[in-house]
Amino acid sequence: MSSKFTLSPSPHIRGGRTTQSIMLLVIVALVPAIVAGTIVFGLRALLLVLFCGLISVLTELVCQKLMKKNVTISDGSALLTGVLLALNLPATLPLWEAAVGCIFAVAVVKQLFGGLGCNFANPAITGRIFLLLSFASDMTTWVKPFAYRDLSYFGVFSTTGDLVDGVTGATPLVTRDAGLLELFLGNIGGSLGETSALALLIGGAFLLVMRVISWHTPVAYLGGLAVLELIYVLLTGGELIAVPYALLSGGVILGAFFMATDYVTTPITGRGKLIFGVGCAVLTFVIREFASMPEGCSFSILLMNLLTPYIDRFTATQPFGAKPKERQAKQHG
């Protein structure tokens, strides 16, 4: 009786999930936030999400055709990039500007570096920062909740020229004039994905239950930011309400659960994810409290994306039976 020994490279344990199924689960987890944004800002919010998703998919298709690569739009990654980018935009943003952000995110940040798995930073985050730097006025114009309920008010090429003072305002992170319940439920102005903390937490819990993401980064990010804000309040004599405000306003919850947990641009080890989350918390706190802009979530995640290779190297585990590098150097020296 003969036996056959098969030798294969790692990984030897493989999961049954595909890239397509993972992307689909993340999109499903974003549905509560999309619904909340549509309720708060009207059909223009839903149109913006669908438009960004479509432009992102078409951009990936064109790029892969031009570069004569296999077309992989069916994996859902481009669609997810568009949806995430849309949730980081104000409902009033002209569609052509949103299209520019989608094209930059997919063509430059993703495809130019080799496609899914090769991009150095989160495409949606980078696309938002590109739009913020390019169209600062439109990216910081917020429509108040429930001000308009149809598509007729919002143009395709321009919206800010038609806005009146009665329907625009600063985000709660700037004014801190909204109640905590309003922040939690979503009755506030801001980007589509930063309105309802409840909707985002439902989606985040879904990803945790389905084991699409781990708890390390969201807990380290949100917990670290809460601790830093508490220390700052105690040292400066501020009000304790600033701590829940820091967590519920802005895009921190969206970033912690949906963008700081990206498989490609964040660390792979549990210890690395904790370091990544704490780093995001520190940078967000510093930008919010000491820089000229109120929101630092996007910039913090982008900066930590750049540090991910070094975090992975620092937290890499030794294979079973492997000798430490120092001992190997002595033996071969």
Side-chain angles (χ1 to χ4, degrees):
M1 183 176 179
S2 61
S3 60
K4 184 178 180 181
F5 179 75
T6 302
L7 180 65
S8 65
S10 62
H12 302 291
I13 301 177
R14 300 176 183 270
R17 282 181 178 161
T18 61
T19 300
Q20 184 182 54
S21 65
I22 292 173
M23 299 299 168
L24 178 61
L25 286 173
V26 177
I27 292 173
V28 170
L30 289 170
V31 168
I34 297 172
V35 172
T38 304
I39 293 174
V40 173
F41 299 115
L43 291 177
R44 180 47 154 75
L46 180 60
L47 171 65
L48 186 61
V49 173
L50 296 176
F51 178 79
C52 287
L54 176 62
I55 295 299
S56 297
V57 171
L58 291 178
T59 300
E60 180 154 298
L61 174 63
V62 171
C63 288
Q64 291 178 336
K65 287 289 187 180
L66 291 176
M67 293 186 288
K68 297 181 180 180
K69 299 170 60 177
N70 293 330
V71 176
T72 60
I73 58 174
S74 60
D75 64 14
S77 60
L79 177 61
L80 178 59
T81 296
V83 172
L84 281 173
L85 179 57
L87 291 175
N88 279 277
L89 304 177
T92 55
L93 190 73
L95 294 185
W96 75 269
E97 293 181 5
V100 171
C102 293
I103 293 171
F104 180 83
V106 176
V108 178
V109 182
K110 185 181 178 185
Q111 290 301 322
L112 191 61
F113 286 88
L116 182 64
C118 301
N119 48 289
F120 71 96
N122 186 292
I125 284 285
T126 315
R128 181 188 185 276
I129 293 175
F130 176 78
L131 287 176
L132 184 61
L133 298 176
S134 303
F135 310 105
S137 177
D138 290 343
M139 283 291 291
T140 53
T141 298
W142 318 105
V143 63
K144 290 184 178 180
F146 309 106
Y148 288 88
R149 313 295 306 142
D150 54 46
L151 292 171
S152 60
Y153 172 73
F154 300 98
V156 173
F157 298 102
S158 177
T159 62
T160 54
D162 300 327
L163 289 172
V164 293
D165 293 339
V167 297
T168 60
T171 63
L173 190 58
V174 177
T175 61
R176 293 186 178 178
D177 58 355
L180 293 181
L181 183 61
E182 289 179 308
L183 288 172
F184 186 69
L185 296 179
N187 186 19
I188 58 171
S191 299
L192 302 185
E194 71 178 67
T195 53
S196 176
L198 174 61
L200 293 171
L201 289 173
I202 291 173
F206 173 78
L207 293 180
L208 289 171
V209 171
M210 297 300 294
R211 296 186 178 182
V212 176
I213 64 174
S214 66
W215 60 269
H216 301 78
T217 299
V219 170
Y221 193 170
L222 298 177
L225 182 60
V227 170
L228 290 171
E229 287 288 349
L230 178 60
I231 294 174
Y232 184 72
V233 166
L234 294 176
L235 291 177
T236 59
E239 299 180 352
L240 289 177
I241 197 174
V243 178
Y245 252 102
L247 298 179
L248 295 178
S249 56
V252 173
I253 297 180
L254 177 65
F257 283 101
F258 294 97
M259 290 180 286
T261 55
D262 177 41
Y263 285 11
V264 178
T265 58
T266 58
I268 58 176
T269 65
R271 190 166 47 139
K273 291 175 182 177
L274 289 173
I275 296 173
F276 186 92
V278 171
C280 288
V282 172
L283 291 172
T284 300
F285 170 78
V286 171
I287 292 172
R288 281 184 173 184
E289 299 296 344
F290 305 107
S292 59
M293 59 186 66
E295 178 55 87
C297 179
S298 297
F299 289 96
S300 67
I301 294 176
L302 176 59
L303 291 172
M304 292 306 297
N305 284 162
L306 301 179
L307 296 177
T308 291
Y310 303 100
I311 297 175
D312 277 335
R313 184 180 303 176
F314 175 73
T315 60
T317 57
Q318 287 285 344
F320 180 75
K323 297 179 181 179
K325 292 182 178 179
E326 295 79 5
R327 190 186 303 174
Q328 292 181 19
K330 290 181 180 179
Q331 290 179 353
H332 291 87

mmCIF file of all heavy atoms in Angstrom, residues 233-277:
data_model
loop_
_atom_site.group_PDB
_atom_site.id
_atom_site.type_symbol
_atom_site.label_atom_id
_atom_site.label_comp_id
_atom_site.label_asym_id
_atom_site.label_seq_id
_atom_site.Cartn_x
_atom_site.Cartn_y
_atom_site.Cartn_z
ATOM 1 N N VAL A 233 -10.164 66.832 28.400
ATOM 2 C CA VAL A 233 -11.225 67.547 29.115
ATOM 3 C C VAL A 233 -10.830 67.787 30.571
ATOM 4 O O VAL A 233 -11.017 68.877 31.122
ATOM 5 C CB VAL A 233 -12.551 66.768 29.025
ATOM 6 C CG1 VAL A 233 -13.565 67.299 30.040
ATOM 7 C CG2 VAL A 233 -13.121 66.855 27.621
ATOM 8 N N LEU A 234 -10.274 66.759 31.195
ATOM 9 C CA LEU A 234 -9.892 66.891 32.597
ATOM 10 C C LEU A 234 -8.753 67.892 32.786
ATOM 11 O O LEU A 234 -8.713 68.635 33.774
ATOM 12 C CB LEU A 234 -9.479 65.524 33.154
ATOM 13 C CG LEU A 234 -10.605 64.472 33.237
ATOM 14 C CD1 LEU A 234 -10.042 63.145 33.719
ATOM 15 C CD2 LEU A 234 -11.726 64.947 34.149
ATOM 16 N N LEU A 235 -7.830 67.927 31.843
ATOM 17 C CA LEU A 235 -6.688 68.840 31.963
ATOM 18 C C LEU A 235 -7.067 70.288 31.647
ATOM 19 O O LEU A 235 -6.475 71.222 32.195
ATOM 20 C CB LEU A 235 -5.564 68.398 31.030
ATOM 21 C CG LEU A 235 -4.852 67.091 31.396
ATOM 22 C CD1 LEU A 235 -3.811 66.745 30.341
ATOM 23 C CD2 LEU A 235 -4.201 67.192 32.780
ATOM 24 N N THR A 236 -8.035 70.470 30.754
ATOM 25 C CA THR A 236 -8.402 71.831 30.333
ATOM 26 C C THR A 236 -9.638 72.356 31.032
ATOM 27 O O THR A 236 -10.016 73.514 30.815
ATOM 28 C CB THR A 236 -8.634 71.861 28.815
ATOM 29 O OG1 THR A 236 -9.677 70.929 28.467
ATOM 30 C CG2 THR A 236 -7.359 71.509 28.062
ATOM 31 N N GLY A 237 -10.287 71.519 31.838
ATOM 32 C CA GLY A 237 -11.481 71.966 32.534
ATOM 33 C C GLY A 237 -12.711 72.044 31.655
ATOM 34 O O GLY A 237 -13.649 72.798 31.956
ATOM 35 N N GLY A 238 -12.728 71.289 30.581
ATOM 36 C CA GLY A 238 -13.877 71.283 29.685
ATOM 37 C C GLY A 238 -15.024 70.455 30.222
ATOM 38 O O GLY A 238 -14.969 69.907 31.327
ATOM 39 N N GLU A 239 -16.071 70.343 29.413
ATOM 40 C CA GLU A 239 -17.244 69.576 29.799
ATOM 41 C C GLU A 239 -17.096 68.123 29.353
ATOM 42 O O GLU A 239 -16.605 67.840 28.260
ATOM 43 C CB GLU A 239 -18.506 70.175 29.182
ATOM 44 C CG GLU A 239 -18.774 71.611 29.644
ATOM 45 C CD GLU A 239 -20.024 72.184 29.010
ATOM 46 O OE1 GLU A 239 -20.584 71.514 28.114
ATOM 47 O OE2 GLU A 239 -20.437 73.289 29.399
ATOM 48 N N LEU A 240 -17.570 67.204 30.194
ATOM 49 C CA LEU A 240 -17.458 65.781 29.889
ATOM 50 C C LEU A 240 -18.273 65.371 28.673
ATOM 51 O O LEU A 240 -18.007 64.333 28.062
ATOM 52 C CB LEU A 240 -17.890 64.961 31.108
ATOM 53 C CG LEU A 240 -16.932 64.980 32.305
ATOM 54 C CD1 LEU A 240 -17.513 64.183 33.462
ATOM 55 C CD2 LEU A 240 -15.561 64.432 31.914
ATOM 56 N N ILE A 241 -19.264 66.187 28.307
ATOM 57 C CA ILE A 241 -20.078 65.858 27.140
ATOM 58 C C ILE A 241 -19.245 65.862 25.857
ATOM 59 O O ILE A 241 -19.647 65.301 24.830
ATOM 60 C CB ILE A 241 -21.258 66.844 27.010
ATOM 61 C CG1 ILE A 241 -22.324 66.268 26.066
ATOM 62 C CG2 ILE A 241 -20.783 68.207 26.536
ATOM 63 C CD1 ILE A 241 -23.574 67.100 25.995
ATOM 64 N N ALA A 242 -18.051 66.479 25.924
ATOM 65 C CA ALA A 242 -17.178 66.509 24.751
ATOM 66 C C ALA A 242 -16.718 65.110 24.356
ATOM 67 O O ALA A 242 -16.410 64.864 23.185
ATOM 68 C CB ALA A 242 -15.964 67.396 25.032
ATOM 69 N N VAL A 243 -16.677 64.195 25.315
ATOM 70 C CA VAL A 243 -16.214 62.829 25.017
ATOM 71 C C VAL A 243 -17.195 62.090 24.107
ATOM 72 O O VAL A 243 -16.799 61.602 23.042
ATOM 73 C CB VAL A 243 -15.943 62.048 26.313
ATOM 74 C CG1 VAL A 243 -15.521 60.615 25.988
ATOM 75 C CG2 VAL A 243 -14.869 62.736 27.142
ATOM 76 N N PRO A 244 -18.491 61.974 24.475
ATOM 77 C CA PRO A 244 -19.416 61.322 23.533
ATOM 78 C C PRO A 244 -19.579 62.104 22.238
ATOM 79 O O PRO A 244 -19.815 61.502 21.180
ATOM 80 C CB PRO A 244 -20.731 61.259 24.317
ATOM 81 C CG PRO A 244 -20.615 62.267 25.401
ATOM 82 C CD PRO A 244 -19.158 62.295 25.750
ATOM 83 N N TYR A 245 -19.457 63.427 22.277
ATOM 84 C CA TYR A 245 -19.513 64.213 21.046
ATOM 85 C C TYR A 245 -18.405 63.787 20.087
ATOM 86 O O TYR A 245 -18.604 63.684 18.877
ATOM 87 C CB TYR A 245 -19.365 65.702 21.366
ATOM 88 C CG TYR A 245 -20.641 66.480 21.197
ATOM 89 C CD1 TYR A 245 -21.406 66.839 22.294
ATOM 90 C CD2 TYR A 245 -21.082 66.868 19.929
ATOM 91 C CE1 TYR A 245 -22.584 67.555 22.147
ATOM 92 C CE2 TYR A 245 -22.249 67.586 19.774
ATOM 93 C CZ TYR A 245 -22.993 67.930 20.881
ATOM 94 O OH TYR A 245 -24.153 68.639 20.724
ATOM 95 N N ALA A 246 -17.210 63.565 20.631
ATOM 96 C CA ALA A 246 -16.074 63.186 19.798
ATOM 97 C C ALA A 246 -16.302 61.855 19.102
ATOM 98 O O ALA A 246 -15.817 61.627 17.992
ATOM 99 C CB ALA A 246 -14.810 63.129 20.651
ATOM 100 N N LEU A 247 -17.045 60.963 19.751
ATOM 101 C CA LEU A 247 -17.281 59.636 19.179
ATOM 102 C C LEU A 247 -18.483 59.611 18.232
ATOM 103 O O LEU A 247 -18.475 58.889 17.235
ATOM 104 C CB LEU A 247 -17.503 58.621 20.305
ATOM 105 C CG LEU A 247 -16.335 58.417 21.274
ATOM 106 C CD1 LEU A 247 -16.721 57.410 22.350
ATOM 107 C CD2 LEU A 247 -15.081 57.959 20.542
ATOM 108 N N LEU A 248 -19.518 60.377 18.551
ATOM 109 C CA LEU A 248 -20.761 60.304 17.792
ATOM 110 C C LEU A 248 -20.795 61.260 16.606
ATOM 111 O O LEU A 248 -21.571 61.059 15.669
ATOM 112 C CB LEU A 248 -21.964 60.595 18.710
ATOM 113 C CG LEU A 248 -22.209 59.583 19.830
ATOM 114 C CD1 LEU A 248 -23.386 60.022 20.690
ATOM 115 C CD2 LEU A 248 -22.464 58.194 19.261
ATOM 116 N N SER A 249 -20.004 62.321 16.629
ATOM 117 C CA SER A 249 -20.001 63.274 15.523
ATOM 118 C C SER A 249 -18.774 63.049 14.649
ATOM 119 O O SER A 249 -17.799 62.420 15.050
ATOM 120 C CB SER A 249 -20.016 64.711 16.066
ATOM 121 O OG SER A 249 -18.932 64.923 16.947
ATOM 122 N N GLY A 250 -18.853 63.593 13.437
ATOM 123 C CA GLY A 250 -17.765 63.353 12.503
ATOM 124 C C GLY A 250 -17.859 61.953 11.912
ATOM 125 O O GLY A 250 -18.849 61.249 12.078
ATOM 126 N N GLY A 251 -16.828 61.539 11.233
ATOM 127 C CA GLY A 251 -16.861 60.244 10.554
ATOM 128 C C GLY A 251 -16.110 59.153 11.274
ATOM 129 O O GLY A 251 -15.680 58.184 10.644
ATOM 130 N N VAL A 252 -15.954 59.271 12.594
ATOM 131 C CA VAL A 252 -15.116 58.322 13.327
ATOM 132 C C VAL A 252 -15.699 56.911 13.296
ATOM 133 O O VAL A 252 -14.975 55.933 13.069
ATOM 134 C CB VAL A 252 -14.920 58.795 14.783
ATOM 135 C CG1 VAL A 252 -14.191 57.733 15.587
ATOM 136 C CG2 VAL A 252 -14.127 60.081 14.813
ATOM 137 N N ILE A 253 -16.997 56.773 13.549
ATOM 138 C CA ILE A 253 -17.593 55.425 13.576
ATOM 139 C C ILE A 253 -17.540 54.795 12.191
ATOM 140 O O ILE A 253 -17.223 53.608 12.042
ATOM 141 C CB ILE A 253 -19.040 55.492 14.110
ATOM 142 C CG1 ILE A 253 -19.041 55.999 15.553
ATOM 143 C CG2 ILE A 253 -19.693 54.112 14.043
ATOM 144 C CD1 ILE A 253 -20.419 56.106 16.164
ATOM 145 N N LEU A 254 -17.843 55.581 11.161
ATOM 146 C CA LEU A 254 -17.733 55.071 9.789
ATOM 147 C C LEU A 254 -16.306 54.634 9.495
ATOM 148 O O LEU A 254 -16.070 53.564 8.926
ATOM 149 C CB LEU A 254 -18.171 56.156 8.801
ATOM 150 C CG LEU A 254 -18.049 55.807 7.316
ATOM 151 C CD1 LEU A 254 -18.982 54.665 6.950
ATOM 152 C CD2 LEU A 254 -18.347 57.031 6.454
ATOM 153 N N GLY A 255 -15.346 55.452 9.892
ATOM 154 C CA GLY A 255 -13.952 55.110 9.646
ATOM 155 C C GLY A 255 -13.483 53.906 10.440
ATOM 156 O O GLY A 255 -12.769 53.049 9.920
ATOM 157 N N ALA A 256 -13.898 53.826 11.705
ATOM 158 C CA ALA A 256 -13.417 52.758 12.583
ATOM 159 C C ALA A 256 -13.885 51.387 12.127
ATOM 160 O O ALA A 256 -13.135 50.408 12.195
ATOM 161 C CB ALA A 256 -13.877 53.025 14.017
ATOM 162 N N PHE A 257 -15.116 51.278 11.669
ATOM 163 C CA PHE A 257 -15.678 49.974 11.314
ATOM 164 C C PHE A 257 -15.519 49.622 9.837
ATOM 165 O O PHE A 257 -15.410 48.437 9.490
ATOM 166 C CB PHE A 257 -17.166 49.920 11.672
ATOM 167 C CG PHE A 257 -17.430 49.727 13.134
ATOM 168 C CD1 PHE A 257 -17.785 50.803 13.937
ATOM 169 C CD2 PHE A 257 -17.324 48.480 13.731
ATOM 170 C CE1 PHE A 257 -18.031 50.644 15.294
ATOM 171 C CE2 PHE A 257 -17.563 48.308 15.076
ATOM 172 C CZ PHE A 257 -17.915 49.387 15.865
ATOM 173 N N PHE A 258 -15.504 50.621 8.966
ATOM 174 C CA PHE A 258 -15.591 50.324 7.542
ATOM 175 C C PHE A 258 -14.359 50.683 6.729
ATOM 176 O O PHE A 258 -14.204 50.176 5.621
ATOM 177 C CB PHE A 258 -16.808 51.040 6.939
ATOM 178 C CG PHE A 258 -18.120 50.537 7.469
ATOM 179 C CD1 PHE A 258 -18.762 51.201 8.498
ATOM 180 C CD2 PHE A 258 -18.703 49.402 6.941
ATOM 181 C CE1 PHE A 258 -19.967 50.737 9.002
ATOM 182 C CE2 PHE A 258 -19.906 48.935 7.427
ATOM 183 C CZ PHE A 258 -20.545 49.596 8.463
ATOM 184 N N MET A 259 -13.477 51.544 7.232
ATOM 185 C CA MET A 259 -12.317 51.944 6.441
ATOM 186 C C MET A 259 -10.992 51.650 7.132
ATOM 187 O O MET A 259 -10.006 51.345 6.465
ATOM 188 C CB MET A 259 -12.433 53.420 6.073
ATOM 189 C CG MET A 259 -13.546 53.649 5.048
ATOM 190 S SD MET A 259 -13.753 55.373 4.543
ATOM 191 C CE MET A 259 -14.547 56.039 6.001
ATOM 192 N N ALA A 260 -10.965 51.725 8.439
ATOM 193 C CA ALA A 260 -9.745 51.354 9.159
ATOM 194 C C ALA A 260 -9.603 49.847 9.284
ATOM 195 O O ALA A 260 -8.613 49.368 9.845
ATOM 196 C CB ALA A 260 -9.746 51.997 10.551
ATOM 197 N N THR A 261 -10.574 49.098 8.785
ATOM 198 C CA THR A 261 -10.526 47.630 8.823
ATOM 199 C C THR A 261 -10.312 47.023 7.437
ATOM 200 O O THR A 261 -10.479 45.821 7.257
ATOM 201 C CB THR A 261 -11.842 47.076 9.415
ATOM 202 O OG1 THR A 261 -12.953 47.586 8.659
ATOM 203 C CG2 THR A 261 -12.003 47.493 10.867
ATOM 204 N N ASP A 262 -9.949 47.853 6.479
ATOM 205 C CA ASP A 262 -9.702 47.379 5.122
ATOM 206 C C ASP A 262 -8.616 46.306 5.113
ATOM 207 O O ASP A 262 -7.556 46.484 5.726
ATOM 208 C CB ASP A 262 -9.291 48.564 4.245
ATOM 209 C CG ASP A 262 -8.954 48.153 2.833
ATOM 210 O OD1 ASP A 262 -9.665 47.312 2.280
ATOM 211 O OD2 ASP A 262 -7.962 48.669 2.287
ATOM 212 N N TYR A 263 -8.863 45.213 4.426
ATOM 213 C CA TYR A 263 -7.920 44.088 4.420
ATOM 214 C C TYR A 263 -6.577 44.454 3.800
ATOM 215 O O TYR A 263 -5.530 43.960 4.223
ATOM 216 C CB TYR A 263 -8.523 42.918 3.645
ATOM 217 C CG TYR A 263 -9.602 42.145 4.363
ATOM 218 C CD1 TYR A 263 -10.172 42.617 5.541
ATOM 219 C CD2 TYR A 263 -10.066 40.944 3.856
ATOM 220 C CE1 TYR A 263 -11.162 41.923 6.191
ATOM 221 C CE2 TYR A 263 -11.073 40.224 4.508
ATOM 222 C CZ TYR A 263 -11.622 40.728 5.668
ATOM 223 O OH TYR A 263 -12.613 40.023 6.316
ATOM 224 N N VAL A 264 -6.586 45.288 2.769
ATOM 225 C CA VAL A 264 -5.381 45.542 1.988
ATOM 226 C C VAL A 264 -4.457 46.533 2.676
ATOM 227 O O VAL A 264 -3.236 46.360 2.695
ATOM 228 C CB VAL A 264 -5.750 46.047 0.580
ATOM 229 C CG1 VAL A 264 -4.491 46.372 -0.225
ATOM 230 C CG2 VAL A 264 -6.597 45.013 -0.148
ATOM 231 N N THR A 265 -5.019 47.585 3.240
ATOM 232 C CA THR A 265 -4.208 48.723 3.682
ATOM 233 C C THR A 265 -4.036 48.805 5.195
ATOM 234 O O THR A 265 -3.528 49.814 5.701
ATOM 235 C CB THR A 265 -4.842 50.034 3.189
ATOM 236 O OG1 THR A 265 -6.188 50.132 3.687
ATOM 237 C CG2 THR A 265 -4.875 50.060 1.674
ATOM 238 N N THR A 266 -4.451 47.793 5.932
ATOM 239 C CA THR A 266 -4.288 47.790 7.387
ATOM 240 C C THR A 266 -3.553 46.527 7.821
ATOM 241 O O THR A 266 -3.484 45.548 7.069
ATOM 242 C CB THR A 266 -5.657 47.859 8.092
ATOM 243 O OG1 THR A 266 -6.468 46.747 7.667
ATOM 244 C CG2 THR A 266 -6.379 49.147 7.743
ATOM 245 N N PRO A 267 -2.972 46.511 9.022
ATOM 246 C CA PRO A 267 -2.171 45.357 9.463
ATOM 247 C C PRO A 267 -2.959 44.054 9.501
ATOM 248 O O PRO A 267 -4.193 44.048 9.603
ATOM 249 C CB PRO A 267 -1.728 45.775 10.870
ATOM 250 C CG PRO A 267 -1.765 47.265 10.855
ATOM 251 C CD PRO A 267 -2.917 47.628 9.983
ATOM 252 N N ILE A 268 -2.228 42.946 9.454
ATOM 253 C CA ILE A 268 -2.865 41.631 9.395
ATOM 254 C C ILE A 268 -2.902 40.929 10.746
ATOM 255 O O ILE A 268 -3.703 40.011 10.944
ATOM 256 C CB ILE A 268 -2.160 40.731 8.359
ATOM 257 C CG1 ILE A 268 -0.679 40.575 8.719
ATOM 258 C CG2 ILE A 268 -2.321 41.294 6.969
ATOM 259 C CD1 ILE A 268 0.071 39.627 7.797
ATOM 260 N N THR A 269 -2.059 41.331 11.670
ATOM 261 C CA THR A 269 -2.038 40.677 12.976
ATOM 262 C C THR A 269 -2.918 41.435 13.965
ATOM 263 O O THR A 269 -3.163 42.636 13.808
ATOM 264 C CB THR A 269 -0.608 40.609 13.540
ATOM 265 O OG1 THR A 269 -0.139 41.945 13.789
ATOM 266 C CG2 THR A 269 0.323 39.916 12.561
ATOM 267 N N GLY A 270 -3.382 40.722 15.003
ATOM 268 C CA GLY A 270 -4.205 41.354 16.009
ATOM 269 C C GLY A 270 -3.478 42.483 16.721
ATOM 270 O O GLY A 270 -4.027 43.561 16.957
ATOM 271 N N ARG A 271 -2.213 42.248 17.057
ATOM 272 C CA ARG A 271 -1.420 43.279 17.720
ATOM 273 C C ARG A 271 -1.209 44.473 16.803
ATOM 274 O O ARG A 271 -1.264 45.627 17.226
ATOM 275 C CB ARG A 271 -0.078 42.692 18.148
ATOM 276 C CG ARG A 271 0.738 43.581 19.060
ATOM 277 C CD ARG A 271 1.867 42.810 19.704
ATOM 278 N NE ARG A 271 2.608 42.005 18.751
ATOM 279 C CZ ARG A 271 3.935 41.878 18.746
ATOM 280 N NH1 ARG A 271 4.652 42.517 19.653
ATOM 281 N NH2 ARG A 271 4.536 41.110 17.884
ATOM 282 N N GLY A 272 -1.001 44.195 15.523
ATOM 283 C CA GLY A 272 -0.832 45.278 14.563
ATOM 284 C C GLY A 272 -2.099 46.103 14.402
ATOM 285 O O GLY A 272 -2.043 47.327 14.265
ATOM 286 N N LYS A 273 -3.242 45.440 14.431
ATOM 287 C CA LYS A 273 -4.514 46.160 14.309
ATOM 288 C C LYS A 273 -4.749 47.060 15.516
ATOM 289 O O LYS A 273 -5.303 48.158 15.386
ATOM 290 C CB LYS A 273 -5.652 45.164 14.155
ATOM 291 C CG LYS A 273 -5.631 44.418 12.829
ATOM 292 C CD LYS A 273 -6.701 43.345 12.773
ATOM 293 C CE LYS A 273 -6.617 42.576 11.459
ATOM 294 N NZ LYS A 273 -7.611 41.468 11.394
ATOM 295 N N LEU A 274 -4.346 46.597 16.693
ATOM 296 C CA LEU A 274 -4.469 47.435 17.886
ATOM 297 C C LEU A 274 -3.583 48.685 17.765
ATOM 298 O O LEU A 274 -4.011 49.790 18.087
ATOM 299 C CB LEU A 274 -4.088 46.639 19.131
ATOM 300 C CG LEU A 274 -5.069 45.556 19.583
ATOM 301 C CD1 LEU A 274 -4.476 44.738 20.733
ATOM 302 C CD2 LEU A 274 -6.399 46.165 20.012
ATOM 303 N N ILE A 275 -2.362 48.492 17.298
ATOM 304 C CA ILE A 275 -1.459 49.627 17.101
ATOM 305 C C ILE A 275 -2.037 50.584 16.063
ATOM 306 O O ILE A 275 -1.997 51.819 16.233
ATOM 307 C CB ILE A 275 -0.067 49.132 16.672
ATOM 308 C CG1 ILE A 275 0.576 48.304 17.790
ATOM 309 C CG2 ILE A 275 0.829 50.303 16.278
ATOM 310 C CD1 ILE A 275 1.878 47.648 17.392
ATOM 311 N N PHE A 276 -2.572 50.031 15.004
ATOM 312 C CA PHE A 276 -3.165 50.848 13.942
ATOM 313 C C PHE A 276 -4.324 51.673 14.493
ATOM 314 O O PHE A 276 -4.428 52.879 14.221
ATOM 315 C CB PHE A 276 -3.654 49.939 12.811
ATOM 316 C CG PHE A 276 -4.146 50.673 11.592
ATOM 317 C CD1 PHE A 276 -3.280 50.961 10.551
ATOM 318 C CD2 PHE A 276 -5.470 51.072 11.479
ATOM 319 C CE1 PHE A 276 -3.721 51.631 9.418
ATOM 320 C CE2 PHE A 276 -5.923 51.745 10.359
ATOM 321 C CZ PHE A 276 -5.045 52.025 9.319
ATOM 322 N N GLY A 277 -5.212 51.039 15.262
ATOM 323 C CA GLY A 277 -6.356 51.751 15.828
ATOM 324 C C GLY A 277 -5.949 52.851 16.777
ATOM 325 O O GLY A 277 -6.503 53.958 16.744
#
